[in-house]
Amino acid sequence: MNILVVGAGGQIGTELIPHLQTLYGEDNVIASDLKKDIVSQLKESCRAIAFDALDMNSYREVVSQYKIDRIYNLVALLSATGEKNPQLAWSINMGALINSLELAREYNCSVFTPSSIGVFGHSTPHVNTPQDTVMRPDTIYGVCKVSGELMSDYYHSRFGVDTRSVRFPGIISNGAMPGGGTTDYAVEVFYEVLKCGHYTSPIPESTYMDMLYMPDALEACTKLMDCDPAKLIHRNSFNVTAMSFSPKELFEAISRRVPGATFSYDIDPVKEKISASWPDSMDDSAARAEWGWNPNWSLESMVDDMLDAIRVKLSL
Ligand code: AKB
């Protein structure tokens, strides 16, 4: 199987590439990104090419030339950045998706596109948020993600394209930094505490959001795509979560391991509004029942592992 990862230079892509290489073989995974400097870096560890996923002709050439069977479409402008430029967010997020779906239809590829907790909004039940519920997001990012879920289901039912997706919560990782998201605080805090002993949170102390540690997120990306389609009642998209915590709870867990670490709050009004509109905790029983989703990492084990990994990264 030949797999193309579009938007591979971001937080998920840089870790998905080695995960895919381990599962499917190095020669079968192609990484791509718009930025040439990122592609040069990617080339050190994988086959990589630079092209713009919004340019259909270049995208088609790549899918055809490399005989692609599966596309991971990771191109995205995230929630907080999206609010700064909604038109750009729509054109990038939807443009890359529509091109991916069209090429999947033409070349008979399967497509994975991450959706997000961003599909939910103020009118969604916040506790144990059901798989099938109200989706009226308050952000352009969420509007794109709901539209993306609908388009992906449409391409499946109308054209038979094998589209699958999960609604990612915040993803915590120690490789490439996330950028422009509302949940980024849960990554940034580890670097700041280890570098300076202090972190100032843009998110209020008692705001709960779902989170996943990267190894579980990677498992979701491949397990869903490899599962027997006959078992899928849903496709676009599945709630997945491994933990739900507030900044206060995360900071307490870090303090127990980094004595003397201090925390303060300087609330970002955009992130405050977005985080308040998202679920406190999601019900992911559909993913568990339909394709065996079963995350391994908890708040405590994730904090231990993050601190160890970032200490090594920062040579501390
Ligand atoms: C964001 O915060 O925008 C993303 C997401 C939850 O989709 N991490």
Side-chain angles (χ1 to χ4, degrees):
M1 175 165 45
N2 294 322
I3 304 175
L4 175 65
V5 180
V6 187
Q11 185 197 12
I12 300 177
T14 45
E15 300 205 38
L16 182 61
I17 295 292
H19 181 69
L20 294 172
Q21 286 176 321
T22 307
L23 291 178
Y24 308 101
E26 288 193 11
D27 287 345
N28 300 330
V29 181
I30 320 276
S32 79
D33 203 276
L34 172 64
K35 297 190 186 117
K36 293 208 167 74
D37 52 329
I38 289 180
V39 169
S40 309
Q41 271 175 27
L42 287 167
K43 273 187 177 157
E44 287 168 20
S45 57
C46 64
R47 300 172 75 192
I49 35 171
F51 78 92
D52 181 356
L54 301 187
D55 173 356
M56 188 60 157
N57 291 335
S58 320
Y59 198 166
R60 179 179 287 109
E61 219 174 285
V62 170
V63 170
S64 149
Q65 184 187 334
Y66 291 92
K67 301 194 174 2
I68 298 301
D69 306 293
R70 180 173 292 178
I71 298 171
Y72 281 89
N73 166 36
L74 305 183
V75 175
L77 216 99
L78 298 187
S79 55
T81 308
E83 290 312 293
K84 291 185 188 142
N85 195 339
Q87 293 77 10
L88 184 69
W90 175 266
S91 75
I92 290 179
N93 294 350
M94 295 312 292
L97 175 69
I98 300 294
N99 285 353
S100 302
L101 291 172
E102 264 304 293
L103 291 172
R105 181 170 75 86
E106 272 180 49
Y107 290 89
N108 198 23
C109 310
S110 54
V111 187
F112 177 94
T113 304
S115 186
S116 161
I117 52 174
V119 294
F120 300 120
H122 277 101
S123 49
T124 304
H126 273 39
V127 176
N128 214 20
T129 303
Q131 168 66 36
D132 301 311
T133 186
V134 180
M135 296 200 295
R136 303 214 36 108
D138 300 278
T139 60
I140 188 66
Y141 176 65
V143 170
C144 295
K145 289 300 182 189
V146 173
S147 310
E149 289 193 11
L150 293 172
M151 282 304 282
S152 300
D153 271 343
Y154 178 74
Y155 266 72
H156 175 63
S157 59
R158 176 78 172 77
F159 303 119
V161 178
D162 186 0
T163 54
R164 309 184 192 187
S165 169
V166 297
R167 292 180 186 135
F168 274 137
I171 298 178
I172 299 166
S173 65
N174 47 60
M177 293 298 280
T182 303
T183 56
D184 295 3
Y185 90 91
V187 177
E188 288 159 2
V189 59
F190 289 95
Y191 290 87
E192 292 304 308
V193 159
L194 290 176
K195 280 195 280 195
C196 335
H198 181 79
Y199 180 65
T200 304
S201 172
I203 306 288
E205 64 173 10
S206 52
T207 300
Y208 281 81
M209 285 185 278
D210 286 289
M211 300 278 170
L212 281 185
Y213 195 32
M214 185 59 96
D216 282 333
L218 300 178
E219 183 77 9
C221 292
T222 48
K223 198 166 187 175
L224 173 59
M225 292 311 285
D226 285 341
C227 84
D228 175 0
K231 299 214 165 107
L232 297 179
I233 299 164
H234 299 84
R235 275 177 171 271
N236 301 283
S237 173
F238 285 93
N239 287 0
V240 287
T241 183
M243 56 192 105
S244 161
F245 54 73
S246 62
K248 185 162 183 274
E249 286 176 358
L250 175 60
F251 302 163
E252 281 167 2
I254 294 173
S255 292
R256 288 196 289 278
R257 292 152 173 96
V258 187
T262 54
F263 301 91
S264 59
Y265 294 84
D266 180 12
I267 304 307
D268 175 328
V270 174
K271 291 187 178 178
E272 178 183 28
K273 190 166 169 240
I274 296 174
S275 58
S277 77
W278 287 354
D280 294 353
S281 60
M282 282 190 296
D283 170 9
D284 61 3
S285 52
R288 289 173 188 266
E290 292 177 38
W291 50 276
W293 164 243
N294 189 16
N296 288 309
W297 293 82
S298 64
L299 170 61
E300 300 297 330
S301 57
M302 175 276 288
V303 171
D304 279 334
D305 202 62
M306 279 293 281
L307 289 170
D308 287 348
I310 294 169
R311 277 192 183 106
V312 171
K313 199 170 164 187
L314 299 177
S315 314
L316 296 170

